[in-house]
């Protein structure tokens, strides 16, 4: 797909879009995983103050695991670990997270694992042309919240020998895992009305680019249709300059009456502005998971990997999650309060635990998964409810959790 996108090949009609879409499902047939972690960064002395990107970047040390360091528009820190086997990918990224946490703490900063900024309003720091155009297109308040106040765990998985199977599993698991790992129930110090306020933000953005890709016996054809019917966000002009498209036209419309010849580069860039819960890019990007505590994110990665990649675990989980397949809004709003989601989550965690030895995971991680299940799944209390508890008492409890207690 990368080589194809680098060419100035013309895109003449829908069949060329479908060819591109099919290339997105051509990738490694193995079982590797790559993980991208986003964290909010807080000032220990003044958690209500925005932390400049430069201050965070200057405090970071060389990372021993080789993770790539980037920043989101609001200053969120993203660590993208090297792809590898599940044990190796987790071990390398965990070493980098710990190195970053230690160095930032010495600089008076803290990494917070939560899906939506629970305290500060959205403020954008990065002013790249792409971000300027995105901001204008997505609008207020949800565009600003998505760009500046959200944090997630993105799990990238090999497509395997049967990409359609893993694609279907990743989608069916979406509502249940969204509910189980919901961790964003506060905004500006108050309950936001959702267990996953981060997912609620996505629900309120342009649904031609954020809704799940419809189920289909041919995922590539479904992805092609999604690309064609998504509204154009922006067009790159004169190098880095971006022009916002405000008339509601779709890529299909643009293809019918282009202002200039369209290339695969244009199509590939359009694909980067589309954010469904699962996106194909030569691998599967699973994008629906709230950020978790800096010490417990491996649980989220291990469970997701096991249920998509391990056939026996997947077989046990799919029957439980299929009745919940359309429950994205309920999962985001109510978490595991819905008994159907809770029962399905319990089945999923049991299946994932049985797969841990087969996946080569150390017993310590299996114990962490079991402890998370006992605390958050069996009890029906995702991490979001722990956040809500913080605003029931003295006002300082939330600030202390962000900067002292909760992130240690």
């Amino acid at each position: 797909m990368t080589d194809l996108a680098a060419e100035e090949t013309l895109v003449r009609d829908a069949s060329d879009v479908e060819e591109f879409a099919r290339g997105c499902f051509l990738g490694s047939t193995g079982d590797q995983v790559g993980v991208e972690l986003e964290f909010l960064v807080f000032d220990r002395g003044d958690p209500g103050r925005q932390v400049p990107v430069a201050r965070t970047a200057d405090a970071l040390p060389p990372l021993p695991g080789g993770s790539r360091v980037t920043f989101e528009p609001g200053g969120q820190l993203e660590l993208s670990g090297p792809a590898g086997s599940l044990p190796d990918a987790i071990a390398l990224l965990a070493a980098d997270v710990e190195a970053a946490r230690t160095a930032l703490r010495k600089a008076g900063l803290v990494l917070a694992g939560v899906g939506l900024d629970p305290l500060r309003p959205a403020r954008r720091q990065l002013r790249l042309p792409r971000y300027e155009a995105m901001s204008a297109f997505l609008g207020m308040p949800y565009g600003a919240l998505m760009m500046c106040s959200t944090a997630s765990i993105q799990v990238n998985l090999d497509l395997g020998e049967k990409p359609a199977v893993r694609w279907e599993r990743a989608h069916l698991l979406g509502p249940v895992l969204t509910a189980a790992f919901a961790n964003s129930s506060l905004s500006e110090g108050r309950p936001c009305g959702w267990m996953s306020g981060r997912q609620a933000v996505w629900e309120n953005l342009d649904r031609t680019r954020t809704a799940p890709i419809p189920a289909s016996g041919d995922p590539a054809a479904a992805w092609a249709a999604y690309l064609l019917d998504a509204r154009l966000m922006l067009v790159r002009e004169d190098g880095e300059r971006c022009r916002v498209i405000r008339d509601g036209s779709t890529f299909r419309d643009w293809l019918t009456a282009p202002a200039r010849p369209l290339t695969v580069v244009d199509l590939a860039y359009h694909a980067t502005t589309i954010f469904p819960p699962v996106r194909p890019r030569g691998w599967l990007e699973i994008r629906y998971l709230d950020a978790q505590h800096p010490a417990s994110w491996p649980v989220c990665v291990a469970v997701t990997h096991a249920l998509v990649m391990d056939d026996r675990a997947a077989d046990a989980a799919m029957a439980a999650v299929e009745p919940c397949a359309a429950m994205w809004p309920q999962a985001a709003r109510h978490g595991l309060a819905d008994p159907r989601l809770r029962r399905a989550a319990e089945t999923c965690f049991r299946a994932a635990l049985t797969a841990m030895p087969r996946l080569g995971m150390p017993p310590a991680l299996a114990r962490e998964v079991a402890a998370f299940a006992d605390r958050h799944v069996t009890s029906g209390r995702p991490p979001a409810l722990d956040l809500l508890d913080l605003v029931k008492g003295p006002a300082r409890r939330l600030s202390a959790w962000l900067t002292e207690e909760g992130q240690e």
Side-chain angles (χ1 to χ4, degrees):
M1 185 183 71
T2 302
D3 291 341
L4 180 65
E7 298 173 3
E8 289 295 323
T9 305
L10 292 179
V11 178
R12 298 181 176 84
D13 53 33
S15 66
D16 291 332
V17 177
E18 182 162 340
E19 181 181 356
F20 171 86
R22 293 199 179 280
C24 295
F25 285 88
L26 298 176
S28 173
T29 59
D31 295 316
Q32 289 194 324
V33 57
V35 183
E36 301 175 25
L37 302 178
E38 293 173 349
F39 293 106
L40 301 171
V41 183
F42 286 89
D43 185 314
R44 286 184 174 274
D46 185 0
R49 181 172 62 185
Q50 188 180 51
V51 177
V53 166
R55 183 181 173 192
T56 304
D58 289 345
L60 289 172
L63 299 179
S67 293
R68 181 168 59 94
V69 175
T70 53
F71 290 90
E72 293 299 306
Q76 307 97 308
L77 172 65
E78 181 176 50
L79 301 179
S80 302
S85 67
L86 181 59
D88 289 345
I90 287 179
L92 289 171
L93 186 51
D96 289 345
V97 171
E98 185 57 31
R101 291 175 75 191
T102 300
L104 291 177
R105 180 179 178 83
K106 292 178 180 177
L109 302 175
V110 62
L111 291 183
V114 61
L116 180 67
D117 196 314
L119 193 61
R120 304 169 297 192
R123 295 191 184 95
R124 186 156 58 93
Q125 296 192 52
L126 302 185
R127 299 288 172 180
L128 300 175
R130 173 184 169 94
Y131 294 148
E132 295 288 340
M134 285 180 66
S135 178
F137 180 91
L138 295 171
M140 296 288 287
Y142 295 106
L145 284 169
M146 183 275 281
M147 295 176 69
C148 304
S149 299
T150 60
S152 69
I153 295 176
Q154 182 171 302
V155 182
N156 301 320
L157 300 175
D158 277 350
L159 288 157
E161 295 181 354
K162 297 179 179 179
V165 172
R166 291 182 177 177
W167 173 258
E168 181 183 28
R169 290 171 181 171
H171 280 86
L172 289 175
L173 288 163
V176 173
L177 295 185
T178 294
F181 292 105
N183 190 31
S184 48
S185 51
L186 302 178
S187 179
E188 297 192 40
R190 299 183 299 273
C192 66
W194 298 73
M195 293 294 99
S196 178
R198 174 188 161 275
Q199 191 65 26
V201 168
W202 289 102
E203 291 276 344
N204 282 281
L205 293 173
D206 171 25
R207 296 300 281 166
T208 72
R209 63 185 1 92
T210 63
I213 297 170
S216 168
D218 186 347
W223 176 227
Y226 197 99
L227 288 166
L228 285 163
D229 294 332
R231 293 170 59 200
L232 280 170
M233 175 184 288
L234 55 92
V235 177
R236 291 188 298 176
E237 297 179 336
D238 301 328
E240 292 300 314
R241 191 167 69 88
C242 296
R243 176 168 59 90
V244 185
I245 305 299
R246 302 178 184 273
D247 62 4
S249 59
T250 66
F251 194 88
R252 191 187 299 275
D253 297 328
W254 198 30
L255 192 59
T256 302
R260 59 172 173 79
L262 300 179
T263 69
V264 174
V265 173
D266 295 315
L267 175 56
Y269 194 78
H270 173 61
T272 70
T273 71
I274 296 174
F275 313 109
V278 184
R279 185 169 67 176
R281 296 190 64 192
W283 60 88
L284 294 183
E285 289 183 347
I286 296 177
R287 306 171 54 87
Y288 47 69
L289 299 161
D290 280 357
Q292 302 293 306
H293 186 284
S296 63
W297 61 265
V299 171
C300 184
V301 174
V303 169
T304 304
H305 180 280
L307 297 175
V308 175
M309 309 287 267
D310 185 271
D311 290 338
R312 289 163 60 184
D315 288 345
M318 288 305 109
V321 301
E322 283 178 359
C324 306
M327 295 179 66
W328 292 92
Q330 296 94 321
R333 183 175 290 279
H334 303 297
L336 297 177
D338 187 292
R340 292 166 293 180
L341 290 165
R342 180 175 169 180
R343 288 194 297 269
E346 289 183 288
T347 299
C348 285
F349 270 74
R350 285 196 299 269
L353 279 167
T354 65
M356 296 283 144
R358 295 193 295 272
L359 296 171
M361 291 310 305
L365 181 56
R367 290 193 293 270
E368 290 179 25
V369 172
F372 187 100
D374 289 342
R375 178 174 178 179
H376 296 295
V377 179
T378 304
S379 66
R381 288 184 54 85
L385 286 174
D386 291 344
L387 289 174
L388 287 178
D389 288 343
L390 295 172
V391 296
K392 294 178 181 177
R396 168 136 178 86
R397 289 185 69 198
L398 177 57
S399 296
W401 182 86
L402 285 169
T403 60
E404 299 169 14
E405 301 168 3
Q407 304 304 314
E408 294 304 315

